[in-house]
Amino acid sequence: MILPTGRKLVDSQGDPTAGTLKATASEVESRGGKCIPVQCDHSKDEEIAALFEKVKTEQNGRLDILVNNAYAAVQAISEYMGKPFWEQPLSMWDTVNNVGLRNHYMCTVYAAKMMVPRKSGLIVNISSAGGLAYLFNVAYGIGKEACDRMAADCAVELRKHNVAHVSIWPGPVITEHVDDMLKASQNAKQKQMFEGAESVEFTGKCIVSLAKDPNLMSKSGRILMTPELGREYNLVDVDGRVIDSMRQINWLLGRNPSTAWVQRWLPNFIKMPFWMFALKGSKF
């Protein structure tokens, strides 16, 4: 049973097929799954509390997986892209980190209350490489690094209860919003960044495989990249592609139009070691 949440069951014109909860439910059920869409504004504490009470009551206290992916800052980040933090409104902090961080903590607390007594469960924070080094703006990077640290620290306290908490980094993802943005964009660097990007479903496939992994607890507290999980679990994207890792040297060179021509000459197995990758975020 899947319970997707969001602010809109249908769009403003009443269309249930326009990227809304009803559309999500229809797609899940068309593939043979069961789905109960739940309208919830993740900026409102009382609606979050009611959501988990609903899950507890209707699912007999059982919650197997929580994916913290609610976010409300895409438009604001795009609008102020390139402006330094002091030229952005103070509200940028709350826009980015209320739903994108504080809400994740709240949902994790409520989920843990159900998972710990059952000694089973997986909590996933959807984060990004913005937690390692500067990306987009200051509030974004702080929020993503905090998501990663939350997973690591929560995992310490959850481990003895056999509940796992991880942070997942997708690579560039073609969401509906990104797709519309790229179609209207004349920015070559922006388009290059999303070349070969993964679909919105690839992360979901990784999470399903992760939840089935008998060695799941060995990964608890870690940052996991979707392309690396894809290779470990032999996953391909919805169009059959193997997704490239941001640790691949050819992938890194391919993000810049001036070096993209080198990409085709380098094999996929030449990767930056994790220890070297982590140096990017060193603060010592």
Side-chain angles (χ1 to χ4, degrees), residues 4-9 21 38-51 70-72 98-99 102-103 106-107:
T5 65
R7 289 177 296 174
K8 295 181 179 180
L9 284 172
L21 289 171
V38 181
Q39 193 166 12
C40 175
D41 184 338
H42 282 266
S43 68
K44 297 181 179 179
D45 292 5
E46 64 276 13
E47 293 193 20
I48 297 171
L51 165 66
Y71 207 64
N98 185 11
V99 172
R102 182 178 184 274
N103 159 77
M106 287 187 63
C107 290

Side-chain angles (χ1 to χ4, degrees), residues 43 72-73 89-102 139:
S43 68
L90 287 173
S91 60
M92 181 63 75
W93 176 270
D94 290 331
T95 301
V96 173
N97 292 321
N98 185 11
V99 172
L101 176 60
R102 182 178 184 274

Side-chain angles (χ1 to χ4, degrees), residues 120-142:
S120 176
L122 168 63
I123 301 171
V124 177
N125 286 353
I126 301 299
S127 186
S128 85
L132 182 70
Y134 182 87
L135 184 63
F136 301 141
N137 68 26
V138 172
Y140 179 87
I142 293 171

Side-chain angles (χ1 to χ4, degrees), residues 182-248:
L182 292 176
K183 287 175 181 176
S185 176
Q186 301 299 318
N187 188 319
K189 190 172 182 179
Q190 192 176 60
K191 290 177 179 290
Q192 194 75 36
M193 176 60 70
F194 286 93
E195 183 178 336
E198 61 194 69
S199 74
V200 293
E201 293 189 35
F202 189 67
T203 298
K205 296 176 76 170
C206 291
I207 292 171
V208 170
S209 294
L210 191 62
K212 293 178 179 179
D213 191 335
N215 297 312
L216 169 62
M217 290 306 298
S218 68
K219 292 181 170 63
S220 188
R222 291 171 50 194
I223 294 170
L224 306 172
M225 300 179 185
T226 53
E228 306 286 345
L229 289 173
R231 282 175 168 75
E232 179 178 352
Y233 297 127
N234 297 313
L235 303 175
V236 294
D237 209 341
V238 291
D239 57 3
R241 288 180 301 124
V242 174
I243 300 300
D244 291 333
S245 170
M246 66 181 74
R247 290 201 301 127
Q248 292 173 211

Side-chain angles (χ1 to χ4, degrees), residues 14-279:
D15 183 359
T17 65
T20 59
L21 289 171
K22 288 262 178 121
T24 300
S26 296
E27 188 168 357
V28 169
E29 290 168 358
S30 72
R31 301 188 191 189
K34 294 183 178 180
C35 183
I36 301 175
V38 181
Q39 193 166 12
C40 175
D41 184 338
H42 282 266
S43 68
K44 297 181 179 179
D45 292 5
E46 64 276 13
E47 293 193 20
I48 297 171
L51 165 66
F52 282 90
E53 187 59 36
K54 177 182 177 69
V55 174
K56 182 178 179 181
T57 301
E58 296 182 1
Q59 305 302 318
N60 298 314
R62 177 176 177 176
L63 177 62
D64 297 316
I65 304 171
L66 168 68
V67 180
N68 287 318
N69 190 40
Y71 207 64
V74 174
Q75 189 63 43
I77 290 172
S78 178
E79 183 179 347
Y80 289 94
M81 189 73 74
K83 291 186 179 295
F85 68 89
W86 62 90
E87 293 181 8
Q88 298 179 16
L90 287 173
S91 60
M92 181 63 75
W93 176 270
D94 290 331
T95 301
V96 173
N97 292 321
N98 185 11
V99 172
L101 176 60
R102 182 178 184 274
N103 159 77
H104 293 1
Y105 180 77
M106 287 187 63
C107 290
T108 296
V109 169
Y110 286 121
K113 290 177 184 291
M114 284 187 273
M115 293 176 174
V116 165
R118 297 182 62 249
K119 294 193 176 298
S120 176
L122 168 63
I123 301 171
V124 177
N125 286 353
I126 301 299
S127 186
S128 85
L132 182 70
Y134 182 87
L135 184 63
F136 301 141
N137 68 26
V138 172
Y140 179 87
I142 293 171
K144 291 306 181 184
E145 184 160 6
C147 283
D148 296 339
R149 182 60 186 264
M150 184 189 356
D153 286 3
C154 288
V156 172
E157 298 185 2
L158 290 169
R159 185 172 298 278
K160 65 183 178 183
H161 302 289
N162 198 46
V163 175
H165 195 160
V166 301
S167 191
I168 284 186
W169 288 6
V173 179
I174 298 293
T175 64
E176 292 89 345
H177 179 83
V178 169
D179 191 38
D180 290 342
M181 178 187 71
L182 292 176
K183 287 175 181 176
S185 176
Q186 301 299 318
N187 188 319
K189 190 172 182 179
Q190 192 176 60
K191 290 177 179 290
Q192 194 75 36
M193 176 60 70
F194 286 93
E195 183 178 336
E198 61 194 69
S199 74
V200 293
E201 293 189 35
F202 189 67
T203 298
K205 296 176 76 170
C206 291
I207 292 171
V208 170
S209 294
L210 191 62
K212 293 178 179 179
D213 191 335
N215 297 312
L216 169 62
M217 290 306 298
S218 68
K219 292 181 170 63
S220 188
R222 291 171 50 194
I223 294 170
L224 306 172
M225 300 179 185
T226 53
E228 306 286 345
L229 289 173
R231 282 175 168 75
E232 179 178 352
Y233 297 127
N234 297 313
L235 303 175
V236 294
D237 209 341
V238 291
D239 57 3
R241 288 180 301 124
V242 174
I243 300 300
D244 291 333
S245 170
M246 66 181 74
R247 290 201 301 127
Q248 292 173 211
I249 302 301
N250 57 8
W251 186 92
L252 293 168
L253 292 171
R255 297 317 95 191
N256 189 326
S258 64
T259 58
W261 64 274
V262 185
Q263 183 177 17
R264 70 183 69 180
W265 303 106
L266 292 175
N268 291 339
F269 65 81
I270 301 179
K271 294 182 179 181
M272 187 182 296
F274 276 114
W275 65 266
M276 187 179 294
F277 197 82
L279 286 177

